[in-house]
Structures are given as structure tokens and as C-alpha cells.
Amino acid sequence: MKRIAVLTSGGDSPGMNAAARAVVRKSIYEGIEIFGINYGYAGMVAGDIFPLKVASVGDKIQRGGTFLYSARYPEFATSKGQLAGIKQLKKHEIEGVVVIGGDGSYHGAMRLTEHGFPAIGIPGTIDNDIPGTDYTVGFDTAVNIALDALDRLRDTATSHVRTFVVEVMGHGAGDIALWTGVASGADDIIIPEHNFNINKIVARVRAGHNRGKKHTLIVLAEGVMGAHEFAKKMKDAGYKSDLRVSVLGHIQRGGSPTVRDRVLASRFGAFAVELLKTGKGGLAVGIKNEKLVAADIIETLTNHKHKADLSLYELNHQLSI
Ligand code: F6P
């Protein structure tokens, strides 16, 4: 391929800029012309497509967000939207596209592939919920941000002898809650992949208080329910102690990416270009057991589901007695 494009789509994640930079720089290194597409699939359909140079991605590796902007664009789920996007790509003589994004973005890339247009997906989402990879770009930064918040909440929880229910993001996945929960020494982690018993949780927290425990932290994945609803359930189950709620929200998606996310993003970006260079499209790149992998994007999305590491759940249960 001689001319390719890159876009970021869906919820942004720290490290998307580093991934786009790697796509741009590796393309130029390989003698491939590289174009950017603003606002994800919305920009593709609107023809918001422009050439990128070496300097276009200077001073970007350390920045959060995405300089290519992002959008949620449900219209791309229709064949009409997909064909309109392909028409624009062909107008610019683009032969392949790198899509950096999460679940919805991957489905867009899969549809492009089904229409015969080579697309490669780079997993970029804080949720860590993409099949075909152990980690997504942005997850490490997001859990570090959430962990920092948990450490701060522990301080104030201790001072006031309070319980905090802390809601973290993750869409339908519990990975952010699991990793943050284990790393912060949370008393309990509530995730969509594991059921919970509110009476047992209340009994456990109460037992902690009776032992003289000053702080209680419960990390709740948003995919289960909202933190206010969970706190109400605790009260309804007879929990009478001082209880506060904290919803971390979009703060988890901003800021400078960690070293791990920058390196992962750089590796993914360069790898995607290597694949397109040899004419390979229709792939989802990922990292498995620390090795870069590429798998058929249609097969990956159709037959595989991301699985949370439930050994972390069990570990936390054992350590937070
Ligand atoms: O997919 C990333 C994510 O941050 C999810 O964790 C969250 O549920 C969702 O996006 C929030 O979406 P929006 O930014 O559109 O409110």
C-alpha cells in the first residue's frame, strides 16, 4: 500500500495520540503517504481527511486526548454510512485505514473489511474490554488515575471513619474496578462478571468496623449500577454507618499517558503499518503474553469475548479479610 489513513473513534483514551503518532511516523519511515481523519467515522463520511507530516505529530506523545478528535457516530452502523465512508477514502486514493478505538470502533473497522476495504484495529479504550488483546491503550493510565483517587479517598475515609463507594468506569467490563480494587486494597470489588450479595457485604464491612477498622473502600464498576443506587442498597440492607459516594467519571479518561500506555501505543501503531504495508488488512492487533499479535478482525469480534481476570477478584477477597 502506498497511501493509508488513521482515525480515532469512540471514547478517547490516554495514549491514542502516541498510537496515531506511531502510525504517522512509521508510515513516513516506510515511504507510505499518511492521512489523518478528524472526528472518527463522522469525519470519514464528511470527507474531513488531510495529509499528515512528520511535524504534525510532534509534541503529541505525552498528551492525553486525541489530536484527531473523536466522536460516537451511530450512523456508521448502517451499510449506507459505511459505503459513504469508503467513497470518501477512495476519493482520496486511500488504500487502507488504521482505526484506533474501542468496541464500537472495532465494529466499524470490521464492516469496512466486510465491504472489501482493508482496515486494521488498534485497541484504544480505558475499558480493556476488547477481545484479542490482553491490554488496550489507555487502560494503564486510567487505573493509575483511579488508584490515585482511591488513595486520596482512603485518607479522608480514615479521618472520619467512613465508608466510600467509589464508582469507576469500564462500560460493561470490570477490569478497571478489579485492578484499582486490588491495587488500593479495597474491602470489596463489585463487577458485572461476578454476582454480589448485599447482606454479606454489609456484614463484612460491619465486622471490619467492629474490629476497629477506620476506613472502608468499595470499588464499584459502573456496569453493575450507579454508586448512589449501590449505597441505597447498603442502607436498605441495614448499613447505618457514615457512608459516602464518589463517582470518578471522565477524569479517568484524561491526562498524560503512562509509560506503559505510550510504549504499547507506539508498538501497536508501528505494527499496524507493517501489516498494511504488506497488503494485510481486516486485522485486529493486540498484545498477548507480552507479544504483538494480529488476528482476523471479523473472527475475533464474532467468536471471542473479553474475559475479566477473575483470579484478581478471588485474590482481593482473600487479602481484604
Ligand atoms: O468506553 C469508554 C467509556 O469511558 C466508558 O468507560 C464509559 O461508560 C463511556 O465511555 C462514557 O461515554 P461518554 O464519554 O460518551 O459519556
Side-chain angles (χ1 to χ4, degrees):
M1 285 182 199
K2 283 278 151 230
R3 187 180 273 199
I4 66 173
V6 58
L7 64 84
T8 52
S9 157
D12 64 350
S13 71
M16 275 185 162
N17 277 330
R21 168 188 178 268
V23 171
V24 172
R25 292 275 169 93
K26 176 72 172 174
S27 296
I28 295 168
Y29 178 81
E30 297 290 353
I32 298 170
E33 278 186 274
I34 176 78
F35 280 64
I37 302 174
N38 278 328
Y39 302 105
Y41 293 113
M44 181 189 282
V45 170
D48 194 351
I49 302 171
F50 56 98
L52 289 164
K53 306 268 172 281
V54 170
S56 315
V57 289
D59 192 27
K60 295 284 186 283
I61 194 167
Q62 82 285 15
R63 297 196 188 277
T66 161
F67 78 97
L68 291 171
Y69 307 104
S70 195
R72 299 202 188 274
Y73 188 62
E75 291 85 338
F76 208 75
T78 66
S79 210
K80 191 173 162 228
Q82 294 146 17
L83 293 172
I86 292 175
K87 198 171 161 198
Q88 290 289 353
L89 293 171
K90 288 196 169 154
K91 199 166 125 190
H92 289 81
E93 295 176 19
I94 287 162
E95 299 166 280
V97 63
V98 179
V99 173
I100 305 167
D103 198 40
S105 318
Y106 259 53
H107 276 89
M110 176 173 95
R111 298 293 172 224
L112 290 173
T113 301
E114 284 170 350
H115 287 298
F117 195 91
I120 294 207
I122 290 181
T125 166
I126 63 166
D127 298 337
N128 208 42
D129 61 348
I130 304 287
T133 188
D134 292 342
Y135 296 105
T136 58
V137 172
F139 173 67
D140 188 62
T141 309
V143 288
N144 276 291
I145 293 167
L147 177 61
D148 180 61
L150 260 294
D151 288 347
R152 289 163 194 261
L153 289 169
R154 181 193 286 265
D155 289 346
T156 178
T158 305
S159 307
H160 292 267
V161 193
R162 276 177 176 160
T163 294
F164 272 84
V165 176
V166 186
E167 181 188 321
V168 296
M169 278 189 167
H171 196 49
D175 289 50
I176 296 179
L178 273 178
W179 282 68
T180 309
V182 170
S184 64
D187 296 82
D188 229 316
I189 305 173
I190 318 296
I191 52 171
E193 295 87 346
H194 202 287
N195 50 19
F196 68 90
N197 179 317
I198 200 77
N199 294 317
K200 280 191 183 160
I201 292 170
V202 166
R204 206 148 166 255
V205 172
R206 209 180 268 141
H209 279 175
N210 293 342
R211 277 200 325 266
K213 202 169 185 327
K214 303 287 184 227
H215 50 74
T216 304
L217 298 173
I218 297 174
V219 180
L220 169 72
E222 65 173 359
V224 178
M225 67 181 75
H228 290 279
E229 192 184 344
F230 190 84
K232 183 170 181 315
K233 275 193 192 300
M234 285 184 72
K235 283 182 189 152
D236 291 348
Y239 190 69
K240 301 237 177 331
S241 305
D242 211 354
L243 182 61
R244 290 289 188 278
V245 157
S246 181
V247 180
L248 300 189
H250 288 81
I251 205 158
Q252 293 158 100
R253 286 224 310 244
S256 187
T258 58
V259 62
R260 214 182 146 79
D261 273 332
R262 293 185 203 192
V263 172
L264 187 64
S266 302
R267 293 179 75 189
F268 280 163
F271 187 42
V273 174
E274 264 166 35
L275 294 166
L276 283 177
K277 191 187 158 209
T278 57
K280 289 184 192 144
L283 296 168
V285 304
I287 188 151
K288 286 201 164 168
N289 301 318
E290 298 304 320
K291 291 224 169 1
L292 290 175
V293 292
D296 184 287
I297 196 165
I298 299 174
E299 202 275 329
T300 303
L301 288 187
T302 314
N303 300 328
H304 301 272
K305 284 240 167 313
H306 166 76
K307 284 197 188 75
D309 182 356
L310 289 180
S311 73
L312 289 177
Y313 185 89
E314 184 50 36
L315 174 69
N316 198 66
H317 198 73
Q318 292 175 10
L319 301 186
S320 64
I321 41 174

